[in-house]
Amino acid sequence: MEERGQESEAPPRWLPFVVLGIGLLAISFGAILARLAQGYGLPSLTIATLRLGLAALIITPIALWQSGHVLRALSRRQGLLTCGAGFFLALHFATWITSLEYTSVASSTALVTTNLLWVGIASFLLFGEKPSAVMVLGIVISLSGSLLIFWSDSQSSVAGSDPLLGNFLAIVGSWCFSAYLLIGRRLRANLPLPAYVWLAYGSASLFLLVACQLSGSPLGGHTGAAYLIALGMALGPQLLGHTAYNWSLKHVSATFIAVVTLGEPVGSAALAWIFFAEAFALVQGIGFVLLLFGIYLAARGEGR
């Protein structure tokens, strides 16, 4: 059992890597479900609000049951940090999901997962964390794969109505997710997973709810199919995918988690090809291989 927000035993060394793999698979469906929801007329802000709001509602009983005493004893500093994490998480989803309106799934996911670069730089400058040589090599190879995917996609006709805007929004989403990971790592050191997830998702959904009200993005009046897709996003990419990342924050570095997220363009691009006929070129395929190889090297470096 957990006491005062601490997990009692360290998990087996291999478990965080398995959990991250499952989380990556679930998150790869995020862009596909978001694009489907947009096709049913859901505004991007509404999609982000429903995804996080439904996830927070679903996990509320678990958070109160397992971590109620921790939530009642939450310090002011923890509350402020949680609001900060929720704010950046809200911005991440608002900008990234909106980017899918303007550019392709491959470019959007490749750029939004460049948080590896920003997390690595911030971890070194702010916390003095020096990644191993093997992890640095994995970072370089993974980023090279991301750049190949983006360059190949920019040369094709798959991109949406305004690729430059979409790509910029995806990069902003990457910056915001990097800040979310770094804040979350500090919070997870003293908060159990249910408490942290509930606070982060709940506060993010409140920020997005305000944004919906200010922008006039309606939460009601949509089709049942649209709401089912939003529920699927809450259960799959959010609760299963992002919660797997949040659980792992206590057991592996934020830099390594950022490396793992680079696998998302591979899964998302493959699913986009199946659902939306967004074919990818040979150069993109090479980029996918580099991404996976870079993740493997980073895993070796993290293990050491």
Side-chain angles (χ1 to χ4, degrees):
M1 293 182 63
E2 296 178 351
E3 266 309 311
R4 307 298 298 173
Q6 300 286 342
E7 282 86 353
S8 58
E9 296 182 2
R13 191 171 183 82
W14 52 265
L15 186 58
F17 301 103
V18 173
V19 170
L20 283 171
I22 295 172
L24 176 61
L25 179 61
I27 283 179
S28 295
F29 279 90
I32 306 305
L33 293 173
R35 179 68 68 80
L36 288 174
Q38 289 169 344
Y40 278 95
L42 280 180
S44 295
L45 276 178
T46 301
I47 296 171
T49 305
L50 290 174
R51 170 174 174 161
L52 287 165
L54 289 172
L57 287 175
I58 292 170
I59 204 171
T60 294
I62 299 175
L64 296 179
W65 175 51
Q66 291 192 353
S67 307
H69 65 290
V70 176
L71 293 171
R72 288 189 294 270
L74 201 68
S75 68
R76 181 179 179 182
R77 178 178 178 274
Q78 288 174 320
L80 291 174
L81 284 175
T82 300
C83 286
F87 176 74
F88 284 113
L89 184 61
L91 277 180
H92 162 71
F93 281 116
T95 53
W96 170 62
I97 292 177
T98 303
S99 77
L100 292 168
E101 298 180 21
Y102 302 103
T103 191
S104 70
V105 169
S107 275
S108 176
T109 53
L111 288 173
V112 81
T113 52
T114 55
N115 49 69
L116 161 67
L117 176 62
W118 321 121
V119 167
I121 293 174
S123 294
F124 175 72
L125 294 177
L126 298 178
F127 311 130
E129 295 180 358
K130 296 181 180 179
S132 66
V134 176
M135 178 172 280
V136 170
L137 180 60
I139 289 173
V140 172
I141 293 176
S142 297
L143 282 175
S144 299
S146 288
L147 290 174
L148 276 180
I149 294 172
F150 171 58
W151 179 83
S152 176
D153 184 71
S154 67
Q155 304 301 307
S156 71
S157 60
V158 175
S161 58
D162 193 346
L164 183 61
L165 174 59
N167 293 339
F168 173 73
L169 289 171
I171 291 176
V172 173
S174 176
W175 295 339
C176 295
F177 193 69
S178 300
Y180 167 68
L181 280 179
L182 290 169
I183 295 173
R185 183 181 177 188
R186 290 307 187 210
L187 284 168
R188 277 290 286 132
N190 297 297
L191 284 179
L193 181 62
Y196 171 68
V197 166
W198 183 72
L199 289 168
Y201 297 175
S203 59
S205 64
L206 291 177
F207 283 119
L208 287 167
L209 184 60
V210 173
C212 283
Q213 294 299 315
L214 294 176
S215 65
S217 298
L219 292 176
H222 302 287
T223 65
Y227 288 118
L228 282 176
I229 294 173
L231 178 61
M233 293 182 72
L235 292 172
Q238 192 60 44
L239 282 178
L240 180 58
H242 274 261
T243 302
Y245 286 1
N246 285 322
W247 178 85
S248 301
L249 278 171
K250 195 177 180 76
H251 309 291
V252 297
S253 69
T255 301
F256 175 67
I257 292 177
V259 173
V260 172
T261 64
L262 284 173
E264 182 181 348
V266 180
S268 294
L271 293 169
W273 175 69
I274 295 173
F275 288 98
F276 308 125
E278 288 189 6
F280 48 87
L282 175 63
V283 176
Q284 278 181 305
I286 296 173
F288 296 155
V289 173
L290 288 175
L291 276 174
L292 293 175
F293 183 58
I295 291 173
Y296 168 75
L297 287 180
R300 291 287 301 271
E302 178 72 16
R304 292 179 180 179

